[in-house]
């Protein structure tokens, strides 16, 4: 078979086999590539927030990123672990900045970033060892510590502001209207109209065009107020107001297979079905009358469903676990928003589900290869 070839030549062409400990599966996405890609996908929504709220919003985001990077460097210094190149600290700071009101005092995003990096991330061993999403933990920490500053909002310059109008988020106005029983009926948009919340010209023109050209033949008439939150012409946190730009970033993450469909789909279906079935009851309407579109486009839902809940470190490892995790987050978001005292609920919902991830992993773990189930016939 090998006539004419020396022993050395035969040995040279023999393939080599490398034996190493697990994991052997290789993915072309490194940690750094993933972190920097996610940060890049968040930039359009962040830039839009800076545009509509002004330069001060940019300084809030930069303060968050700067404090996060500095905390990462100082926390790793005693252990001689220098992890700034992986981009995780930048992403954490960016997410915290995006979750801040535009007019928040600068010390609040700084403290949120320090808490996220030092307490939530490095106390448990650094990237990959934290059991809670650091950015969400930092936001929730400062929210309960400085609630007044964290609930003071700025109207975007793209909206006409009526005289004497007090700025509040879409969800905040509706929650206040329900609590005060203003007498408005017809769903959340009716409460916005009762509060004289303005609509942009873009919202008016696009809604009129949709009703006249597309929806009128179908017997559907859409009220004003959906286009502004879709585009990002509403008050809110700096990086959460534009559902459109967040969806564009999410499409890129799906295309690059950085996130998968399980958590967003389960989150959306759980939240959407519950909102549709029970969401209308608090407005004096019956069951199966909830305004799903309003609640999906409002608040931090889009930012949470694509960029927060899908954190690989703090989410389950099995497909079944991801579906349970997403469905649970959607259920808790609905529960807090609809019946809780806070208008927003996504951050708290995801953090609460982070607590259950070890249990979800234990319950949904696959059977080990080679383990035979006990036969019922055996005694």
């Amino acid at each position: 078979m090998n006539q004419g070839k020396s022993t050395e030549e035969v040995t040279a062409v023999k393939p080599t086999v490398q034996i190493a400990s697990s994991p052997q599966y290789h993915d072309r996405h490194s940690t750094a590539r993933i972190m920097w890609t996610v940060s890049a996908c968040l930039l359009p929504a962040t830039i839009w927030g800076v545009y509509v709220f002004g330069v001060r919003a940019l300084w809030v985001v930069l303060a968050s990123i700067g404090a996060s990077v500095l905390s990462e460097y100082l926390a790793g210094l005693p252990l001689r672990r220098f992890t700034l190149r992986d981009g995780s600290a930048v992403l954490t700071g960016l997410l915290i900045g995006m979750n801040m009101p535009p007019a928040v005092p600068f010390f609040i995003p700084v403290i949120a970033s320090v808490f996220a990096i030092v307490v939530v991330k490095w106390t448990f061993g650094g990237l990959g060892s934290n059991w809670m999403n650091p950015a969400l933990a930092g936001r929730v920490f400062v929210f309960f510590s400085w609630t007044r500053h964290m609930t003071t909002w700025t109207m975007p310059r793209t909206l006409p502001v009526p005289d004497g109008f007090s700025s509040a988020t879409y969800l905040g106005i509706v929650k206040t209207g329900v609590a005060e029983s203003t007498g408005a009926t017809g769903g959340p948009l009716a409460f916005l109209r009762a509060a004289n919340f303005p609509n942009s010209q873009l919202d008016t023109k696009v809604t009129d065009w949709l009703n006249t050209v597309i929806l009128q033949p179908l017997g559907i008439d859409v009220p004003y107020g959906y286009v502004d939150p879709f585009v990002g012409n509403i008050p809110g946190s700096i990086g959460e107001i534009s559902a459109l730009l967040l969806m564009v970033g999410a499409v890129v993450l799906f295309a690059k297979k950085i996130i998968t469909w399980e958590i967003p789909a389960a989150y959306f279906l759980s939240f959407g079905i519950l909102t549709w079935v029970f969401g209308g009851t608090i407005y004096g309407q019956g069951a199966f009358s909830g305004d799903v579109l309003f609640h999906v486009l409002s608040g931090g839902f889009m930012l949470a469903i694509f960029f927060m809940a899908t954190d690989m470190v703090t989410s389950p490892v099995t497909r079944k676990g991801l579906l349970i995790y997403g469905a649970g987050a959607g259920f808790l978001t609905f529960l807090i928003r609809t019946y809780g005292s806070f208008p927003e609920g996504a951050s708290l919902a995801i953090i609460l589900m982070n607590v259950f991830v070890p249990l979800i992993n234990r319950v949904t773990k696959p059977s080990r290869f080679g383990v035979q189930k006990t036969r019922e016939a055996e005694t």
Side-chain angles (χ1 to χ4, degrees):
M1 295 293 291
N2 294 311
Q3 293 180 356
K5 291 186 179 181
S6 64
T7 304
E8 291 78 7
E9 290 175 328
V10 173
T11 304
V13 298
K14 184 178 180 179
T16 59
V17 178
Q18 294 182 349
I19 301 176
S21 61
S22 60
Q24 286 85 26
Y25 181 79
H26 173 72
D27 195 297
R28 64 184 179 87
H29 293 298
S30 64
T31 299
R33 183 190 294 270
I34 292 173
M35 296 299 170
W36 289 114
T37 301
V38 175
S39 296
C41 291
L42 288 169
L43 282 180
T46 306
I47 293 172
W48 175 257
V50 172
Y51 169 73
V52 297
F53 294 125
V55 179
R56 195 183 189 286
L58 175 62
W59 290 114
V60 171
V61 175
L62 293 179
S64 302
I65 295 175
S68 180
V69 170
L70 181 60
S71 299
E72 179 86 0
Y73 174 77
L74 294 177
L77 197 58
L79 302 175
R80 301 191 64 80
R81 291 175 58 185
F82 305 103
T83 56
L84 293 181
R85 290 185 178 181
D86 65 19
S88 61
V90 173
L91 177 57
T92 298
L94 178 59
L95 285 170
I96 290 174
M98 294 176 71
N99 277 280
M100 292 289 123
V104 68
F106 291 121
F107 74 89
I108 292 181
V110 169
I111 293 177
S113 296
V114 173
F115 181 85
I117 297 297
V118 176
V119 178
V120 180
K121 182 178 177 182
W122 276 94
T123 299
F124 293 92
L127 181 64
S129 301
N130 53 285
W131 61 272
M132 183 184 296
N133 186 297
L136 284 177
R139 181 186 187 275
V140 172
F141 174 73
V142 297
F143 177 84
F144 286 107
S145 301
W146 295 279
T147 305
R148 182 174 64 84
H149 292 301
M150 289 294 293
T151 54
T152 300
W153 308 103
T154 304
M155 287 292 289
R157 63 180 184 177
T158 51
L159 280 182
V161 183
D163 294 335
F165 182 81
S166 179
S167 177
T169 64
Y170 256 35
L171 294 175
I173 292 174
V174 172
K175 177 69 73 173
T176 301
V178 172
E180 295 178 353
S181 299
T182 59
T185 58
L189 290 179
F191 283 88
L192 291 175
R193 289 192 294 270
N196 295 321
F197 193 91
N199 297 116
S200 67
Q201 293 185 357
L202 177 65
D203 187 292
T204 303
K205 292 180 180 179
V206 172
T207 304
D208 287 339
W209 180 83
L210 287 173
N211 287 330
T212 303
V213 178
I214 298 178
L215 301 177
Q216 190 175 29
L218 302 176
I220 301 174
D221 184 70
V222 175
Y224 301 122
Y226 290 119
V227 176
D228 279 338
F230 178 71
V231 176
N233 290 330
I234 57 173
S237 296
I238 296 170
E240 73 178 20
I241 58 173
S242 178
L244 172 62
L245 294 179
L246 290 171
M247 290 171 63
V248 170
V251 168
V252 176
L253 296 184
F254 279 118
K256 291 183 174 292
K257 298 181 179 180
I258 292 177
I259 62 175
T260 56
W261 62 270
E262 290 89 351
I263 291 177
Y267 199 140
F268 178 84
L269 287 176
S270 174
F271 178 80
I273 291 173
L274 289 170
T275 300
W276 173 57
V277 176
F278 302 106
T281 57
I282 64 173
Y283 307 112
Q285 300 174 316
F288 303 97
S289 60
D291 193 337
V292 178
L293 184 59
F294 172 86
H295 285 280
V296 167
L297 297 178
S298 304
F301 185 83
M302 286 295 181
L303 185 61
I305 196 174
F306 293 121
F307 295 95
M308 296 289 202
T310 54
D311 178 27
M312 290 176 287
V313 176
T314 56
S315 57
V317 295
T318 64
R319 172 166 292 181
K320 185 184 295 184
L322 294 173
L323 292 172
I324 295 173
Y325 175 83
F331 167 75
L332 291 174
T333 302
F334 164 78
L335 200 65
I336 297 170
R337 275 195 183 187
T338 307
Y339 302 109
S341 58
F342 300 109
E344 183 58 80
S347 297
L348 285 174
I350 295 173
I351 286 180
L352 289 173
M353 289 306 300
N354 288 162
V355 177
F356 290 99
V357 167
L359 178 61
I360 295 174
N361 284 334
R362 180 182 293 272
V363 172
T364 61
K365 68 179 180 180
S367 300
R368 296 194 308 179
F369 180 76
V371 176
Q372 185 177 5
K373 295 183 178 179
T374 304
R375 297 179 180 177
E376 296 180 358
E378 292 180 354
T379 59

